[in-house]
Amino acid sequence: MSNPQTAKTKPKFGHVAIAGRPNAGKSTLLNALIGARLAIVSDKPQTTRSSIMGVVTDPAGQIVFFDTPGIHKSDTLINRRMMQSVRAALDGKDLLLYVADAKAGEVSDEEKQALDALRRARESSPVPAFLVLNKIDLVDDKRLLLPRLQAFQEAFPFDEMIPVSARKGEGLAGLKKAIFAKLPFGQPRFEADYLTDMPERNIAAEVIREKILQFTGEEVPHSVAVVVEQWVEKPNVAHVTASIIVEKEGQKPILIGAKGAMIKRIGTEARKSLEELLGRKFYLELFVKVKPKWRENESFLNELGWQNTSEVI
Ligand SMILES: Nc1nc2c(ncn2[C@@H]2O[C@H](COP(=O)(O)OP(=O)(O)OP(=O)(O)O)[C@@H](O)[C@H]2O)c(=O)[nH]1
Ligand SMILES: [Mg+2]
């Protein structure tokens, strides 16, 4: 017989993947759950390019989350690599969170395609899946949520459906509780203050890319990659040199701006975010370089950390 006292105190441990369409709010959700702005966020689709791990430590146990790139068409080499990263992140997890935009209305064709990808990914290992209906702060008439939830339930056999606002923090306590209820018992595997396995170099590159996504228009975002070239630790400050890679000569002046105003703004804001995230001082030096067709360049993508895997979602 189980003792209710021990059942209550026995910790839970599990791996949870966060998937969904581009722009659904997956990275915002990860950040809200772990309480740090670890994954970069923007209003442009395809912001996240590779899987990002974030650990939540709670009195109920520990959850290792994996934020993933939005599920979209694998039409270029970079997009195929992004989808391989989703596939790898879904593999062997205890639970999947499928994030969808509550304000987007009915289940679109793109959404159905993404759910098909999820279904295929689950074929090898039938893990439970929750629908996280996000951005409910944008739905004024909350009665509209019910038919949306029903439409999703018809499209995919979700174990649970939870409406939330990742931005406002609404519904997140309930979501966490539902996640813990589904996870197996297990001891924590990380120190209580452990946040991620992401190397600081990658965090710096991502923070710089976030500022570029925020400050530049439609033309630039998908053409940009950031590479940290040098990282020198000095007594009170880390000197970081990074290159912003673009595809065309014409994109260089957009990033540099009039009298260097844009690159200065990107650098200043990235430095502030980095200092807040990593809790120490940084000195950032940024360069802009042109590398034609880098998104189709196999060795450059490998250098950026998108390893090739044989499976495609
Ligand atoms: N109003 C509102 N906006 C949200 C909410 N969650 C996310 N957003 C916004 O939605 C946009 C996309 O958020 P992200 O977290 O980058 O979305 P994502 O799913 O990670 O996107 P990709 O990485 O491109 O797949 C950003 O502008 C967020 O601020 C929410 O709960 N409410
Ligand atoms: Mg994202």
Side-chain angles (χ1 to χ4, degrees):
M1 260 195 26
S2 73
N3 175 342
Q5 201 56 42
T6 39
K8 228 184 206 172
T9 51
K10 232 170 145 183
K12 296 270 185 122
F13 180 88
H15 297 96
V16 178
I18 305 175
R21 293 273 309 143
N23 235 5
K26 301 175 293 299
S27 301
T28 309
L29 179 69
L30 174 85
N31 291 346
L33 288 165
I34 66 173
R37 292 188 50 219
L38 176 68
I40 67 168
V41 165
S42 90
D43 58 1
K44 316 254 182 346
Q46 299 173 26
T47 296
T48 306
R49 286 181 174 164
S50 54
S51 172
I52 294 170
M53 178 253 221
V55 180
V56 166
T57 302
D58 185 276
Q62 211 165 49
I63 313 171
V64 186
F65 286 104
F66 295 84
D67 180 23
T68 63
I71 298 172
H72 61 279
K73 268 223 228 87
S74 309
D75 50 356
T76 56
L77 183 63
I78 187 178
N79 285 356
R80 281 200 297 283
R81 294 279 173 100
M82 283 161 75
M83 288 307 96
Q84 287 163 357
S85 153
V86 176
R87 170 87 204 197
L90 296 183
D91 205 35
K93 297 295 175 289
D94 299 291
L95 177 67
L96 303 179
L97 301 182
Y98 184 86
V99 183
D101 187 329
K103 77 169 196 312
E106 51 196 64
V107 184
S108 65
D109 286 345
E110 288 84 8
E111 199 85 70
K112 283 181 183 150
Q113 279 161 17
L115 290 168
D116 275 342
L118 194 64
R119 203 172 276 123
R120 285 201 299 279
R122 287 215 314 178
E123 271 166 11
S124 47
S125 54
V127 286
F130 291 177
L131 172 74
V132 179
L133 197 64
N134 189 30
K135 309 195 186 183
I136 57 166
D137 55 295
L138 298 177
V139 181
D140 290 332
D141 185 354
K142 296 289 187 270
R143 284 172 304 183
L144 291 174
L145 292 176
L146 193 61
R148 270 172 212 172
L149 290 169
Q150 277 165 349
F152 269 100
Q153 185 75 84
E154 275 164 30
F156 193 89
F158 288 109
D159 295 80
E160 292 203 32
M161 299 191 294
I162 301 163
V164 306
S165 166
R167 186 184 274 180
K168 300 253 160 98
E170 267 175 77
L172 296 187
L175 172 63
K176 233 191 244 183
K177 213 171 150 197
I179 294 172
F180 274 119
K182 269 277 185 258
L183 293 186
F185 290 109
Q187 292 301 322
R189 293 187 199 167
F190 301 96
E191 296 293 328
D193 60 355
Y194 188 89
L195 205 61
T196 186
D197 65 355
M198 196 170 163
E200 287 193 342
R201 271 178 173 257
N202 295 19
I203 293 178
E206 283 290 90
V207 165
I208 296 163
R209 198 164 62 83
E210 179 178 54
K211 302 310 166 197
I212 298 167
L213 295 186
Q214 276 175 11
F215 303 146
T216 60
E218 291 300 323
E219 196 211 342
V220 174
H222 293 115
S223 321
V224 164
V226 177
V227 180
V228 170
E229 312 276 7
Q230 221 184 20
W231 188 296
V232 183
E233 290 288 346
K234 304 232 166 141
N236 297 312
V237 59
H239 278 230
V240 177
T241 311
S243 295
I244 298 171
I245 315 287
V246 289
E247 286 193 318
K248 295 180 201 149
E249 206 54 54
Q251 291 163 333
K252 229 171 146 173
I254 302 174
L255 280 161
I256 293 169
K259 292 188 186 150
M262 177 59 97
I263 192 110
K264 193 168 172 210
R265 186 175 176 209
I266 292 166
T268 306
E269 293 304 315
R271 179 183 54 74
K272 282 194 215 156
S273 290
L274 209 53
E275 289 180 346
E276 189 188 320
L277 197 57
L278 299 180
R280 47 194 230 271
K281 290 267 171 235
F282 280 87
Y283 176 80
L284 270 188
E285 204 174 353
L286 301 179
F287 296 94
V288 183
K289 291 182 186 167
V290 182
K291 197 175 179 78
K293 298 200 173 132
W294 68 260
R295 285 183 287 178
E296 295 287 352
N297 182 332
E298 191 123 17
S299 60
F300 183 65
L301 292 182
N302 289 345
E303 203 183 302
L304 287 175
W306 287 304
Q307 304 310 334
N308 198 4
T309 52
S310 54
E311 290 193 279
V312 180
I313 197 162

